[in-house]
Amino acid sequence: MEAACTKSFPPFLDYKTEKYVLTKNRRIGVFHRLLQLGVLCYIVGWVFIVKKGYQESDNDPHISVITKLKGTSVTKGFRELQERLWDEADLVKPSQGENVLFLVTNFISTPGQELGVCPESPTVLDGRCSEDSDCAEKEPVISGNGIKTGKCNTTHFTCEIYGWCPAEESQPIRKIPINEAENFTLLIKNDVHFSRFHLSRSNTKQTSDTTYFKSCTYDPVSAPYCPVFRVSEMIREAGHSFKELSVLGGVVGVDIRWNCDLDQPGSTCKPQYTFRLQDVKNNFRTATYYWDQDRHQYRDLLKLYGIRFEISVTGEARKFGLVPTAVSLGTGCAFLGAITLLCDLILLYLDSKADFYWDCKYEKVKPPKGQEATEPNPEQNLE
């Protein structure tokens, strides 16, 4: 009956089962348990507790940022010591509302410029000359203020140029002309939406008090949902002082981070702010154009120094999910299986008694008597 079944059924229908061998090898046993303990600590401690591998995440939220700066200041030194009032329309470049803004803290003014011919500034190296041949006609002055006319001004020993005259001079930089700027306040309104979990959050407090945002200032403990920041405090959190940056300007990065664990109470999902200094110099030029009664065009040139605020928002929301939990557990089981395979390889190939363990693990089974396969004798076939 057994022979008939063996002949009638194909080999792929055979059933194979594993044979387990209990090996009394203390070194391999200790090594095996230590590896298992390490894998368990990794899965439980790192994957599930630290990395929270049982949660699915959304780390690409939809973000909106609105900024608004408030403050006024009065300075002198514009058009021959004439006082000028500065407010947010003058001090913030570009227009408010973007996630990048420039706060003016210092300036150099060249008022009353008009198109004409005048000597280049002596501080411009490419504009210096000793004779007319040094000033090639219609050649632009590198890092200068106009186009060379072909003549050398022997009074200033600079090339005459066609441009806005008088040329901008490198005047001594005033020390903190806009003193009140450090007390200005910056409103940063931020909204995030995690589409995967249909979750929306804002860094502003939900209140019916219309005067709250006009009187509050951000504090991580007492007012974490007040989006109003004092400029001097932001720079101090970046590790510097307003006086250091107000002369030549700088760049301050504002990072807003949302870490929302949706398995915890909703109050834990709140913004975290960090401030960092990215550069210690920052300036650009701007001009205001106007005409006199005779329709002659003039302009007031301003070289503005200030602090550039760059606001970036990142976030991640996490919540329990069956798929990431199954993947983490499956990874742990795969590691445990790999440990057994590693110990088998060491036992069968590297141990001093490898041959003995090989014979114990892999048993050679002989068929019952009378069923041995008989091979044809080549010599008989030749007869």
Side-chain angles (χ1 to χ4, degrees), residues 333-348:
C333 294
F335 281 144
L336 292 176
I339 290 174
T340 302
L341 176 62
L342 176 62
C343 292
D344 283 348
L345 294 176
I346 295 174
L347 196 67
L348 297 175

Side-chain angles (χ1 to χ4, degrees), residues 38-307:
V39 169
L40 290 175
C41 292
Y42 167 76
I43 296 298
V44 176
W46 178 257
V47 175
F48 281 98
I49 297 179
V50 178
K51 291 298 184 179
K52 297 183 178 180
Y54 57 89
Q55 293 178 322
E56 54 184 345
S57 64
D58 182 357
N59 53 12
D60 187 22
H62 299 282
I63 298 167
S64 68
V65 177
I66 299 175
T67 59
K68 187 176 183 181
L69 186 135
K70 284 289 186 179
T72 57
S73 179
V74 177
T75 62
K76 294 182 179 181
F78 187 80
R79 290 191 183 179
E80 298 181 356
L81 301 182
Q82 177 183 355
E83 287 190 348
R84 174 173 174 174
L85 177 68
W86 301 74
D87 59 14
E88 56 268 16
D90 304 307
L91 295 174
V92 181
K93 307 292 181 182
S95 301
Q96 300 198 62
E98 305 293 336
N99 60 343
V100 176
L101 61 90
F102 183 93
L103 170 61
V104 180
T105 59
N106 204 347
F107 66 91
I108 294 177
S109 64
T110 308
Q113 287 185 324
E114 63 176 329
L115 285 173
V117 176
C118 58
E120 180 61 276
S121 171
T123 60
V124 179
L125 298 180
D126 187 49
R128 297 176 183 176
C129 65
S130 57
E131 55 186 17
D132 291 347
S133 60
D134 296 330
C135 304
E137 188 177 359
K138 296 183 179 180
E139 181 181 280
V141 182
I142 300 175
S143 301
N145 300 284
I147 306 296
K148 296 176 182 179
T149 62
K151 296 182 178 181
C152 179
N153 186 293
T154 56
T155 302
H156 298 86
F157 292 99
T158 59
C159 296
E160 289 188 354
I161 60 170
Y162 174 76
W164 289 97
C165 300
E168 181 187 38
E169 297 286 348
S170 295
Q171 307 170 13
I173 299 176
R174 300 170 180 81
K175 293 185 178 180
I176 319 178
I178 307 179
N179 298 308
E180 294 83 358
E182 63 178 321
N183 296 319
F184 289 0
T185 57
L186 177 61
L187 181 142
I188 305 175
K189 188 177 184 298
N190 170 225
D191 295 280
V192 294
H193 176 71
F194 297 96
S195 57
R196 186 169 187 173
F197 304 115
H198 305 287
L199 174 71
S200 297
R201 286 289 186 270
S202 176
N203 67 334
T204 59
K205 182 179 180 180
Q206 302 299 322
T207 177
S208 58
D209 185 4
T210 57
T211 63
Y212 175 75
F213 298 110
K214 297 181 180 180
S215 58
C216 74
T217 304
Y218 171 80
D219 184 272
V221 178
S222 60
Y225 287 99
C226 177
V228 181
F229 300 83
R230 196 175 300 277
V231 170
S232 58
E233 289 297 319
M234 298 171 69
I235 299 175
R236 185 181 63 82
E237 289 293 330
H240 290 261
S241 67
F242 177 82
K243 292 183 179 180
E244 294 175 350
L245 298 184
S246 61
V247 178
L248 295 178
V251 181
V252 175
V254 182
D255 296 327
I256 306 176
R257 176 69 180 174
W258 292 84
N259 286 321
C260 299
D261 189 346
L262 303 185
D263 295 327
Q264 302 294 328
S267 59
T268 60
C269 184
K270 59 183 179 181
Q272 298 176 347
Y273 302 91
T274 55
F275 306 90
R276 68 184 188 282
L277 182 67
Q278 300 179 168
D279 202 349
V280 293
K281 292 183 180 181
N282 195 14
N283 65 77
F284 69 96
R285 291 173 176 82
T286 184
T288 303
Y289 297 86
Y290 56 94
W291 290 260
D292 62 8
Q293 295 179 351
D294 298 327
R295 302 303 297 172
H296 290 157
Q297 188 180 29
Y298 297 87
R299 76 173 189 179
D300 293 335
L301 179 66
L302 286 175
K303 185 178 182 180
L304 301 177
Y305 295 84
I307 302 171

Side-chain angles (χ1 to χ4, degrees), residues 14-29:
D14 293 345
Y15 173 73
K16 299 179 181 179
T17 184
E18 295 182 0
K19 178 180 180 181
Y20 295 94
V21 179
L22 182 61
T23 306
K24 299 294 185 178
N25 189 314
R26 183 171 299 178
R27 289 178 300 175
I28 297 297

Side-chain angles (χ1 to χ4, degrees), residues 48 52-56 319-329:
F48 281 98
K52 297 183 178 180
Y54 57 89
Q55 293 178 322
E56 54 184 345
K319 189 177 182 180
F320 173 79
L322 292 176
V323 173
T325 302
V327 171
S328 298
L329 290 175

